[in-house]
Amino acid sequence: MIIQTMPYPAAAEDYANLLVYPLTYDETDKDGAYALTRSGGMAITPSGFEADGFQNRLKTTSLPAWLASSTNALSVNLRAKVWANTRHTTRDVLLSIGNDDATANPKLEIGIFDDDEMRNTPVFGLRTYNGSITTRYFGIANWRYGLRWPTVGLTANGETVRPQGLLFLDSDTILVSGHYNDTESRVYKIDLTDGTVLGSFTFGLSTYRHVAAWARRANGEVWCVDYETDDALEIDLDASFASGTAVINTTWNLSNLGTNVLTGIEFVTVSGTEYVLIALYIGSSTTWLYVIPTTQIADGATFAIANRHKRFVLGRQCQGITLRQSDGLLYLSHNTNSTSANTCPIDVANISAAITSTPDGGTLAILRTHQGPSQYPEDIKFHPTTNECWVGTEGRDAVIDNEGFLAYWRSPLTDNKPVERDIRIDYDGAGNWEFWLDGLFFDDLNGVSPTIMPGQISIGGPPAASAGWANGFALASIRSVAMKDSTFSAAELAALEAGTYEPNTLTAYNVTITNPGAESGTTGWTSESGGLSTRTSNPDPRYEEGVANTAYFFGGPNAATVARQRFSIATATGLSTGEIDSKIASGDLWATARWWQTNFDETADPGTMGIRYLNGTPTTLATNYGAVTFLGMNQYWMRRSLSAAANSGSRNIDILHRMDRTSGTNNDSYHDDVTLTIYAR
């Protein structure tokens, strides 16, 4: 689903200067004219260049003349997945076009930046230099841009819209509502396939001026809650869109729950009884989720708190709630769930179990928490066919601080499986910029003319940085990196998305590892030193949706642990020995190990994994380890990778655990969910 809210510029020309690095087969551009030089291992995969966060970088100082200019127009497009859902360093480089020195001052840089407003979460952004660095933030890495608030309704009554509620009418049509600083609430119906506004209506200027959230009952009724009046309203949508004014069938007063507190509504049926769930926004005292039998709903009535079924204590400042049909769980969008600064959590709870078993007045148990799309998230819903979570935002780190954040974002909420993001930047050479995210116009920037004459292109890390976890190397997969001296045409953008600028196909052989995630103890692994062991808590096994993950590996009570599994390259790939030797000789056979890693306290017991190549005897030809300096973040799982080219004469390959104890009794380097892939051209 791609929403195009602005047309492609008419000036886009297919025949203008264009430089494209597909990065899905080799390390050169589509025309073979500007090859990149590698730092680190051979890390090309069918999904793109795999930057490892430590040293992997591709770079060239040979630039076409049109690109080595501070004044020329420049459009850039790339696709990236970030393999971390917390910040890796203060600035990780995805693409740098600029100075080839320690300053790395860019004409244009796309990176993963330290945005203090997003609480250590990886955030995409732009940097450019015109005497000082200008930074523009593009949002959290795992939230795609879903819908910018329609331009026709951006302002009203001298106020800027605050996006609030949303409701999917079908897979291609969305209802969105916003208020204009409590002067009016408006509702728009939008076609998601092209961004067309299909209809709108208003609640008027005298009441219901802060409609906060929407829900649909099993019987088809559509309801919303209003923060200003503390009323729940049943709306006739067809009549409302036809007349342009809200047609209200039922008004149910909930003012006994508090004043200016209604922000979430949902319906759920448990054991044959239908309930309406009402979530409150309270900033400094106990916040409640009310569970009320729908038999209590009556037009013109005022609900009495004593008539509830139950109520549960919530995290504070709840902004919206929704039931996800695929798992039956309740998802709750918050600004924060404590008295601290906004952390924008999306909490997940088993509401059916709570209604059945949690006592009235008890705390709603939270199963897990995801990161919301900004500091100011609003209502929350799931798309009926893609199952993506959609959340509205009314700003980045302040209300209406950035028009691009007056929007709705979408995410699968699979924190350990990153989503690929599409980032496009158009600079016109005269100080004017346009930013596009995931095929949609996001925002612009005017009056900023870069002064840098580029001397390099770097992908995956700063141009002059040495290897190191804190030196700006990205943990990301990057592909379809394109640069042009005018805006991209529709055909070029389609080719970049499809990957058709690379005519060749890289073959991937996924090696079958026995017991890759410690779910069967240490079965399949041979300890060469120390002794591989497993554990199940402190920290918890990493969460991945749909995966039963109950254990992970660690080094046991040993000073040093190394353990392996061994595989025949011919058996794993189906290649003959002659084909293997030929591909090794031409540099066309390599392997990548991937795993998740953390440790106990972030100060001791580093670890890594390795790739060992052996001949047919088998005698070791070479052993390659990832950086052993890695400690990770305190009990936070981070995905790592290591790539290594096969050595001449290789017939076997080992994948290796390595854990080094530097303090205490236990060797607290923790590994989980190991994979090994052999690549061949």
Side-chain angles (χ1 to χ4, degrees):
M1 177 176 58
I2 296 177
I3 312 162
Q4 187 61 57
T5 58
M6 292 183 66
Y8 293 109
E13 299 173 349
D14 288 314
Y15 53 83
N17 292 305
L18 176 67
L19 180 63
V20 178
Y21 290 99
L23 302 181
T24 55
Y25 185 76
D26 56 24
E27 298 163 325
T28 191
D29 66 291
K30 71 179 182 65
D31 299 317
Y34 298 96
L36 298 164
T37 299
R38 178 195 321 149
S39 297
M42 176 59 170
I44 298 297
T45 79
S47 299
F49 170 63
E50 194 158 310
D52 67 351
F54 181 75
Q55 64 179 347
N56 284 0
R57 175 184 60 216
L58 300 174
K59 174 183 171 182
T60 182
T61 55
S62 177
L63 274 61
W66 60 267
L67 187 54
S69 165
S70 62
T71 58
N72 279 1
L74 176 61
S75 289
V76 168
N77 193 214
L78 64 77
R79 283 158 174 77
K81 295 179 183 179
V82 176
W83 286 98
N85 58 337
T86 193
R87 196 185 71 215
H88 175 223
T89 63
T90 57
R91 168 179 146 257
D92 293 339
V93 173
L94 297 171
L95 171 67
S96 170
I97 305 170
N99 283 352
D100 185 26
D101 57 27
T103 70
N105 286 332
K107 177 175 181 177
L108 187 155
E109 178 183 288
I110 299 173
I112 308 157
F113 298 148
D114 178 10
D115 178 4
D116 286 339
E117 308 307 331
M118 292 314 302
R119 312 300 164 197
N120 295 327
T121 301
V123 172
F124 284 124
L126 159 85
R127 294 197 332 145
T128 187
Y129 184 85
N130 64 339
S132 62
I133 291 289
T134 295
T135 302
R136 198 60 176 266
Y137 298 107
F138 296 158
I140 292 175
N142 266 12
W143 284 87
R144 292 189 180 103
Y145 207 49
L147 178 70
R148 198 178 196 264
W149 189 267
T151 302
V152 67
L154 194 60
T155 60
N157 316 317
E159 300 287 350
T160 299
V161 70
R162 281 78 165 160
Q164 299 288 299
L166 74 157
L167 185 70
F168 288 101
L169 304 181
D170 56 48
S171 61
D172 292 328
T173 314
I174 191 171
L175 173 155
V176 296
S177 67
H179 73 85
Y180 297 83
N181 200 20
D182 296 333
T183 64
E184 180 186 7
S185 289
R186 291 188 185 180
V187 179
Y188 289 88
K189 179 167 58 174
I190 298 173
D191 185 335
L192 286 174
T193 63
D194 60 11
T196 301
V197 174
L198 303 175
S200 66
F201 65 87
T202 177
F203 280 84
L205 300 176
S206 61
T207 190
Y208 305 132
R209 294 175 295 189
H210 192 138
V211 171
W214 295 78
R216 188 192 301 273
R217 284 186 70 176
N219 65 7
E221 291 177 358
V222 172
W223 285 77
C224 62
V225 289
D226 179 59
Y227 179 84
E228 178 189 27
T229 62
D230 299 305
D231 283 342
L233 310 170
E234 187 229 325
I235 306 297
D236 185 328
L237 287 185
D238 290 340
S240 298
F241 282 119
S243 67
T245 301
V247 176
I248 301 170
N249 292 336
T250 304
T251 302
W252 184 38
N253 185 268
L254 296 166
S255 59
N256 285 332
L257 305 186
T259 302
N260 300 142
V261 294
L262 299 190
T263 53
I265 181 170
E266 182 58 290
F267 295 90
V268 63
T269 298
V270 178
S271 300
T273 300
E274 185 186 34
Y275 301 96
V276 58
L277 307 177
I278 300 294
L280 308 186
Y281 178 99
I282 299 176
S284 58
S285 60
T286 301
T287 305
W288 298 103
L289 175 71
Y290 279 84
V291 181
I292 304 169
T294 54
T295 53
Q296 290 291 315
I297 297 174
D299 187 28
T302 298
F303 172 70
I305 290 179
N307 292 333
R308 69 183 183 271
H309 175 67
K310 290 181 178 180
R311 65 179 181 180
F312 304 126
V313 176
L314 283 185
R316 294 176 181 172
Q317 297 184 15
C318 185
Q319 293 280 20
I321 58 176
T322 193
L323 201 67
R324 191 179 194 178
Q325 295 304 313
S326 63
D327 59 20
L329 301 177
L330 186 70
Y331 289 69
L332 307 97
S333 172
H334 297 262
N335 288 129
T336 181
N337 51 20
S338 68
T339 56
S340 63
N342 288 6
T343 53
C344 45
I346 294 175
D347 289 336
V348 185
N350 188 332
I351 189 61
S352 295
I355 290 172
T356 301
S357 303
T358 302
D360 181 37
T363 298
L364 185 67
I366 301 304
L367 303 177
R368 62 181 182 273
T369 298
H370 301 277
Q371 177 74 58
S374 89
Q375 276 209 70
Y376 286 86
E378 299 298 326
D379 199 9
I380 178 171
K381 293 291 179 287
F382 284 89
H383 190 277
T385 57
T386 68
N387 201 29
E388 285 182 308
C389 179
W390 284 60
V391 173
T393 57
E394 60 179 6
R396 183 178 73 89
D397 69 312
V399 176
I400 66 167
D401 63 343
N402 185 309
E403 283 189 7
F405 280 84
L406 306 179
Y408 295 84
W409 304 75
R410 56 192 178 97
S411 172
L413 296 185
T414 50
D415 293 346
N416 290 317
K417 288 185 177 179
V419 298
E420 185 175 76
R421 299 294 307 280
D422 173 13
I423 300 173
R424 172 158 59 104
I425 298 173
D426 295 329
Y427 173 63
D428 69 354
N432 304 306
W433 304 72
E434 285 188 351
F435 310 122
W436 300 71
L437 302 180
D438 309 305
L440 306 176
F441 175 70
F442 170 68
D443 208 358
D444 56 23
L445 174 67
N446 300 307
V448 178
S449 297
T451 56
I452 296 298
M453 181 179 295
Q456 57 77 31
I457 301 168
S458 293
I459 299 170
S466 57
W469 292 112
N471 293 349
F473 291 89
L475 269 167
S477 298
I478 308 164
R479 72 173 181 94
S480 292
V481 178
M483 291 148 273
K484 189 181 178 184
D485 59 357
S486 66
T487 53
F488 296 100
S489 70
E492 289 165 341
L493 291 170
L496 289 168
E497 181 177 7
T500 53
Y501 281 115
E502 177 54 72
N504 301 300
T505 301
L506 183 64
T507 303
Y509 302 97
N510 295 315
V511 179
T512 301
I513 296 175
T514 299
N515 186 30
E519 301 304 309
S520 300
T522 59
T523 299
W525 296 93
T526 299
S527 291
E528 297 183 346
S529 63
L532 191 65
S533 188
T534 65
R535 59 192 291 163
T536 60
S537 62
N538 199 19
D540 291 335
R542 73 180 190 90
Y543 168 77
E544 183 175 326
E545 186 176 71
V547 175
N549 208 346
T550 62
Y552 50 90
F553 299 106
F554 84 115
N558 304 293
T561 290
V562 174
R564 65 166 167 83
Q565 284 193 42
R566 181 165 296 165
F567 308 94
S568 159
I569 296 173
T571 300
T573 63
L575 297 171
S576 68
T577 56
E579 289 172 321
I580 291 170
D581 288 340
S582 175
K583 290 181 183 298
I584 290 174
S586 59
D588 292 328
L589 188 74
W590 65 94
T592 298
R594 300 177 181 90
W595 69 101
W596 294 83
Q597 184 173 339
T598 187
N599 78 339
F600 183 74
D601 61 6
E602 199 176 352
T603 62
D605 301 352
T608 188
M609 295 203 71
I611 294 172
R612 176 192 288 151
Y613 288 106
L614 309 95
N615 62 19
T617 304
T619 300
T620 297
L621 300 173
T623 300
N624 310 273
Y625 281 115
V628 192
T629 56
F630 181 82
L631 291 172
M633 300 180 68
N634 186 10
Q635 301 193 22
Y636 168 81
W637 290 99
M638 186 172 287
R639 192 251 207 188
R640 293 191 60 188
S641 66
L642 166 70
S643 296
N647 296 83
S648 177
S650 293
R651 293 293 180 266
N652 295 285
I653 183 171
D654 288 352
I655 186 164
L656 304 164
H657 287 282
R658 175 176 170 178
M659 293 103 158
D660 293 359
R661 187 183 68 198
T662 58
S663 178
T665 301
N666 279 335
N667 188 333
D668 289 312
S669 180
Y670 309 141
H671 300 175
D672 201 3
D673 295 330
V674 180
T675 67
L676 178 65
T677 304
I678 299 173
Y679 296 103
R681 287 191 295 223

